[in-house]
Amino acid sequence: MIRFLVLLLATLLALPALAQSVSDQPHTKVELIAASSMPAPGKPLTIGIALSPKAGWHTYWLNPGDAGAPTRAAWTLPAGTAEPAELQYPVPGTLVVSGLMNHVYETTNVLVTSVTPPAGLAPGSAFPVSVQVDWLVCSHEQCVPEAATLTLPLTIGDGATDAVMGPRIVKAREALPKPLAATASWAVQGQRFVLSVPMAGLEQVQRAWFFPAGDLVINHVTPQAVTRAGDALRIETDAAAPGPTGEVTGVLRVEMAGEPPIGFAITAAPGTVPGPGAALATGAGSDDSSGGGAPGLALVLLGAVLGGLILNIMPCVFPILSLKALALAKGNVDAGKARAEALAYTAGVVLVVTALGGMVLALRAAGSQVGWAFQLQDPRVIGFLLLLVTAIALNLAGLFEVTLTTGNLGQDQARSGGVRGSFFTGALAAFVATPCTGPFMAGALGAALVLPTIQALSVFAGLGFGLALPFLLIGFVPALRRRLPKPGAWMVRLRAILSVPMFLTALALAWVLGQQAGVDGMAMGLAGALLLGLFLWWLGAQQASGKSLLMPGALSLATVVAATLLIEAGTPPSGAAVASAAASELGAVKFTPAALADLRAQGKPVFLFMTADWCLTCKVNEKGAMAATAVADSFKAKGITVMEGDWTRSDPEISEWLAEHKRAGVPVYVFYDSKGGERELPQILTVDELTSLAG
């Protein structure tokens, strides 16, 4: 009996160890983490192995250098689950011990991969993920091999981000090397290996180090001479014997003024490299905590301002700006009032844009991979915008007037005039501009997602400033106000004309709603717009008869809320997504990371475009340059595979890809050539640019 009780106690004590996701070894703490504790069937789940060496110890990178060993993982997964991809390592550091160069991690490092539960698994079913991890941990005096078996007891669910582990996965992905769009080149000159890496922001680079992924490329311990040669970073060191052949891959770690080190995944082809260039910045005087003197941030802010400025010509913003500008001419306001209204308008724009940017940053910090205009991936938001734009269009068309007793959709403040009206007009313009991502915005918003919070918010504020800049200039420059046409009957006709682009915007939003929520969802949205239109027609008739109304504000708000909430926000119906004409003409295949990796492994050229139905720039390119017959013929002749990533509804794989490429939203166009090179194209495409792509 005693032996039985002892055996039972030992068994019970061993049970938790069978499902442990954390193990404390003598010199390392190791953990198994996942982005979600309830992964969705058929959707990739990011998982990570976190290694935390104790003080004075270190673990190793994929290529450990002159000594050491990389971490190994052997997975045990439920039946039908494909083996995870190879582990992705964060950017390593260097450590020289006894004349040997080591590529190491002296603090917590998370190795990342992904696993996809089979599509047929039922919600609530168990999905345990187990891994046997073996690693080498060393101090300056000794090395100790350690191992642990970890199990993460997951349950199939909706794929919601885990509140605790999700942010850790986000930080782990941010620590991975970023893909470099430009193709690097290398050459061996005598006994020296020379690497040339084209990249932006060279004037800010203070230090750099190249970590080759393979052996026999360089002598690891030899110092690397780094200079700026034209638009490229030039790294020179001793070549290994007998030296590399073919493509060389690895990670380039770069340290810039006032920023933490970042890494770039490098693929270099044999080729011509420049001679030694200018020395790197010394860093003297570059610890200005405000960042005001950093040209890198200044350029990002300039891109944000220019991107916001361009948004003013979008069909949903231009009518609002035009009427607000003409209101100054109609009101014959003095200079002081004009400046006050301009500042209030700017404050409304900047506040809304910065608030939306802050929401993006907060959601990403909480583990959600979202980007600019993320709210447009919810059909209810599209439904609300449809009703809002319809109401604005009907108001411009003269169906009703907005007064303090109307209370419809919050536009009473927007059209009431004065400082308060200008503030709400700016807020309205910023909100309806979110479907657009124009030129100059992509790089600026992408940079905002990797900058420190204060600098990132300044980029979003810069975008709002650019959007508000035309009206700000009108308010502060009397000469511009004097050039505005004098008030007259023509303003009534112009107002009616300006309703046309708003009606077209409403039509486009109805189409997007159909793409997201199917025919039923679009019908529900149109029914809400019809009810709202009938209500506003009745309201206009009451206004024409001179009646004063107090209740319509509440009634119209109730109409908007009821019609919007009736639209389903769940999974889009099967077959709801319809490929664009350009995608069909080009024979586009659906984007998945695995499919892209497979095509690149086969050496096939790929044109990848990330798009969304609510993205105006995307649709212009797809109806224009991408739809040209010459482009389709050129791609076919060169054997270029076209791959489409549709971000109309939230897609974690696309969100992850955008995050890895430091992009906040769509469109994004990338060409992968047959030699492994990668080049990002501008956001406004031309036929000549597409046909010039080499197969």
Side-chain angles (χ1 to χ4, degrees), residues 177 187 222 414 416 583 617:
T222 303
S416 62
T617 307

Side-chain angles (χ1 to χ4, degrees), residues 14-70:
L15 285 177
L18 296 177
Q20 67 177 352
S21 58
V22 181
S23 177
D24 249 319
Q25 298 297 311
H27 308 293
T28 321
K29 177 182 177 182
V30 60
E31 304 168 80
L32 184 61
I33 60 176
S36 173
S37 59
M38 301 186 69
K43 298 292 184 180
L45 171 71
T46 302
I47 52 181
I49 300 172
L51 295 161
S52 302
K54 296 183 179 178
W57 296 78
H58 54 265
T59 58
Y60 291 91
W61 185 54
L62 173 67
N63 177 357
D66 291 327

Side-chain angles (χ1 to χ4, degrees), residues 15-23 31-33 75-76 127-133 148-154:
L15 285 177
L18 296 177
Q20 67 177 352
S21 58
V22 181
S23 177
E31 304 168 80
L32 184 61
I33 60 176
W75 300 91
T76 301
F127 187 76
V129 174
S130 297
V131 62
Q132 167 72 32
V133 189
T149 299
L150 306 172
T151 299
L152 206 54
L154 306 176

Side-chain angles (χ1 to χ4, degrees), residues 603-688:
K604 294 184 177 180
V606 179
F607 174 70
L608 170 64
F609 68 102
M610 296 297 184
T611 182
D613 290 336
W614 38 260
C615 168
L616 180 62
T617 307
C618 303
K619 297 298 115 181
V620 170
N621 284 325
E622 289 162 26
K623 296 291 184 182
M626 291 175 61
T629 303
V631 173
D633 292 342
S634 174
F635 280 14
K636 185 176 180 180
K638 297 174 181 177
I640 297 175
T641 300
V642 178
M643 184 169 281
E644 177 187 28
D646 189 348
W647 208 42
T648 303
R649 294 295 299 266
S650 182
D651 185 313
E653 290 185 333
I654 296 177
S655 300
E656 212 166 272
W657 187 92
L658 291 171
E660 290 175 358
H661 286 71
K662 299 170 66 174
R663 286 291 174 259
V666 292
V668 180
Y669 306 99
V670 178
F671 177 65
Y672 301 93
D673 62 36
S674 57
K675 299 178 181 178
E678 175 182 343
R679 178 165 70 93
E680 184 170 336
L681 305 179
Q683 288 192 306
I684 302 299
L685 299 176
T686 64
V687 173
D688 289 344

Side-chain angles (χ1 to χ4, degrees), residues 343-443:
L343 289 173
Y345 178 89
T346 302
V349 173
V350 172
L351 181 64
V352 169
V353 174
T354 306
L356 288 171
M359 290 176 62
V360 171
L361 296 176
L363 289 170
R364 291 175 71 91
S368 299
Q369 289 285 10
V370 299
W372 181 248
F374 69 95
Q375 70 274 21
L376 299 178
Q377 295 174 336
D378 189 324
R380 290 171 298 190
V381 177
I382 297 296
F384 174 77
L385 278 174
L386 169 61
L387 298 176
L388 176 62
V389 170
T390 300
I392 296 173
L394 293 174
N395 174 251
L396 293 174
L399 186 66
F400 73 102
E401 295 300 328
V402 179
T403 67
L404 291 177
T405 59
T406 311
N408 112 60
L409 299 178
Q411 295 177 74
D412 53 346
Q413 302 295 342
R415 290 292 306 278
S416 62
V419 171
R420 183 186 297 182
S422 295
F423 177 86
F424 281 96
T425 302
L428 178 64
F431 188 73
V432 300
T434 53
C436 307
T437 302
F440 302 106
M441 282 180 61

